Amino acid sequence: MSNTLSVSLRSGKAETHVGTLIRERSGLMRFIVEGAYIALGENRPILSSSIRFIGDEERTVRMLTSGPIMQPGRDLHPWFSNLLPEGALRDLVLRGLPTGATTDFDVLAHLGHDLPGAVVVRVQDELAAAPPERGSVVGIKPEILKGDYVLAVKRFDRAADGARVHMEDFCQVMQAPKERKYTAANEETVMNLAKRFGRGTKDYLEIVRRTTVNILLGNGDAHLKNHSLIYEDGINGALSPAYDIVATIVYDGSNELALKFRDSLDSLIVGLARFQKAADLAGAPVNVVKKEVTRTVEKAADTWGKMTEDLPLSGEHARIIMDRVKTLRLIADTNVAF
C-alpha cells in the first residue's frame, strides 16, 4: 500500500507542488503543505477557497500551516475524499484495487492522474506512471459502462486542448464530509458561498436562477456536491457551469429539496419572500433578486411546454412536471401562468 502521496496542481505544462499526504503506520493521515508553495505568495495557484483569505496573506499562511486541512486524523481529510467517486462508480473502481486496499487514501492514489480539477496525486517517487486509458471515466474502462443509454458529458474542468482547469465542489469549500452533502448547509449558505468566493452579486443571481429552476423542475438532489467553483485562471473563483440537474420528482414523487430553504425542505411552499429574506441577510440587492426569480419563472413558462415535446421525455414524466409546477407557491407569488 502507498503511504506517501505527492499533491500538485497542473496548469497546461506547468505544475506546482502543493504538499504531501502521509499515512503513518498507525493509520493516522496528515497533509503537509510545501514551504515553496507557501512562499509563492497571494498569487499562488489556488487549491481551495477554504484555505485562502483574499487580502489577508498572514491569515492565509496560518491556514496553510496549521489549518483544519493540515490536522492529522484517522480518515482522509474531506477536501481530498470529496475528489473521489461515490456509489456504483466507486464500487467499479474498488474492483480494480488489490484486496485490502480500499480506503479513501488507496482510491486517491489509484485515481490520482485523473481527478476533478487541476489536482494531480502521485505515489511519492512514482516513475512515469501511465494515466488511465483515453476515454475512461476516472480510471474506469469504457467497456465496463453498459446499458441501453450512455450519457457522455463534456468536462468543463478540461480545456479544448486537454489542459486541466481547477475546480472544487461546495463540500470541499466547506471542508464537509461527502456524507453530509445534504445536511452541512442550506440553500442560503449555497447562495452566500457563490457570492463570497465567486463573482459577487453576479454569481449570487446565478445561484438564485438555478434554485428557482430546481424548485420548478422538482429537482430534489441539488446537494452541496452538485454546486462547484471553477478557477479558470487558477486563482479567481466563479460558479462552474450547472450540472446534475434532474427532475427527481418523476422518480420518487417527493417535493423535498436536497437542502433546507429558510428552515424547510418543502419546495411547494417556497415563495418570493424566502428569496427576498435570503438576499437581505446576504447583502444582495433584494429587488433585483425578486425580479430575477420572476424573470426565470416567466422564461420557464414560455419555453418548457415546447421543450417537453422535443426532448426524449415520456409523456407521463412531462405531465408530472407540468401539473406539479402549477401547484407551487412560487407560481402564485410571481403570478405567472404555466
Side-chain angles (χ1 to χ4, degrees):
M1 292 186 294
S2 303
N3 292 305
T4 307
L5 304 177
S6 170
V7 178
S8 300
L9 290 167
R10 182 186 295 171
S11 177
K13 294 182 179 180
E15 190 164 316
T16 304
H17 184 224
V18 178
T20 305
L21 273 168
I22 299 172
R23 178 170 57 187
E24 300 174 354
R25 290 181 180 274
S26 64
L28 208 63
M29 286 172 273
R30 67 177 72 242
F31 179 55
I32 301 174
V33 176
E34 179 73 22
Y37 175 74
I38 296 175
L40 291 174
E42 60 184 13
N43 289 322
R44 66 179 67 84
I46 189 169
L47 182 69
S48 173
S49 284
S50 67
I51 52 176
R52 178 182 67 168
F53 296 90
I54 297 174
D56 192 342
E57 178 64 5
E58 183 178 343
R59 190 178 179 189
T60 297
V61 170
R62 286 201 304 270
M63 185 64 72
L64 288 169
T65 53
S66 59
I69 198 171
M70 266 61 69
Q71 300 306 308
R74 294 288 176 184
D75 297 317
L76 190 64
H77 188 276
W79 196 90
F80 293 103
S81 63
N82 274 300
L83 291 168
L84 306 177
E86 300 178 89
L89 196 55
R90 181 186 175 93
D91 291 340
L92 288 172
V93 172
L94 294 181
R95 293 178 194 174
L97 293 178
T99 302
T102 58
T103 68
D104 281 349
F105 193 95
D106 299 313
V107 176
L108 184 64
H110 181 65
L111 299 179
H113 289 278
D114 193 18
L115 295 166
V119 181
V120 179
V121 174
R122 297 186 183 88
V123 175
Q124 192 80 345
D125 300 324
E126 188 177 52
L127 297 176
E133 291 185 27
R134 186 175 181 178
S136 66
V137 180
V138 287
I140 295 175
K141 297 179 181 179
E143 61 265 25
I144 294 178
L145 300 175
K146 299 177 180 179
D148 294 333
Y149 299 96
V150 174
L151 178 63
V153 180
K154 182 179 179 181
R155 291 180 64 165
F156 54 74
D157 65 340
R158 297 292 185 266
D161 61 358
R164 299 168 189 243
V165 181
H166 194 45
M167 62 170 286
E168 60 177 333
D169 66 42
F170 278 17
C171 266
Q172 291 175 289
V173 175
M174 295 189 66
Q175 298 193 23
K178 54 183 175 291
E179 294 80 11
R180 296 196 60 211
K181 61 186 179 183
Y182 294 102
T183 59
N186 52 30
E187 295 286 1
E188 299 96 297
T189 305
V190 169
M191 295 174 188
N192 287 336
L193 290 175
K195 181 174 182 286
R196 177 181 175 186
F197 297 121
R199 297 168 297 180
T201 298
K202 181 177 182 178
D203 277 348
Y204 188 93
L205 293 176
E206 176 59 22
I207 278 289
V208 164
R209 287 190 288 271
R210 295 181 190 184
T211 302
T212 301
V213 170
N214 286 332
I215 292 169
L216 297 175
L217 191 62
N219 178 13
D221 203 40
H223 50 70
L224 288 175
K225 291 186 68 63
N226 281 339
H227 300 285
S228 288
L229 294 173
I230 190 164
Y231 305 90
E232 294 190 355
D233 63 357
I235 298 174
N236 298 296
L239 271 180
S240 75
Y243 60 95
D244 283 4
I245 299 175
V246 181
T248 56
I249 186 72
V250 304
Y251 301 108
D252 60 18
S254 174
N255 284 297
E256 286 197 349
L257 297 165
L259 303 172
K260 286 185 176 181
F261 193 0
R262 305 301 302 160
D263 297 321
S264 177
L265 289 171
D266 188 354
S267 63
L268 297 179
I269 66 172
V270 175
L272 283 174
R274 289 175 189 256
F275 282 97
Q276 291 174 276
K277 182 63 175 178
D280 184 47
L281 293 174
V286 175
N287 288 335
V288 174
V289 168
K290 179 181 178 181
K291 290 178 182 177
E292 198 61 36
V293 173
T294 302
R295 190 194 68 81
T296 303
V297 174
E298 290 172 343
K299 187 172 182 179
D302 290 342
T303 59
W304 282 15
K306 183 63 168 63
M307 287 176 64
T308 56
E309 297 174 5
D310 298 336
L311 291 172
L313 184 70
S314 74
E316 176 63 14
H317 285 176
R319 183 193 62 77
I320 292 172
I321 293 170
M322 298 305 287
D323 285 353
R324 172 190 167 276
V325 77
K326 298 170 186 175
T327 70
L328 298 174
R329 173 68 179 272
L330 200 55
I331 298 301
D333 282 3
T334 55
N335 196 30
V336 174
F338 249 86

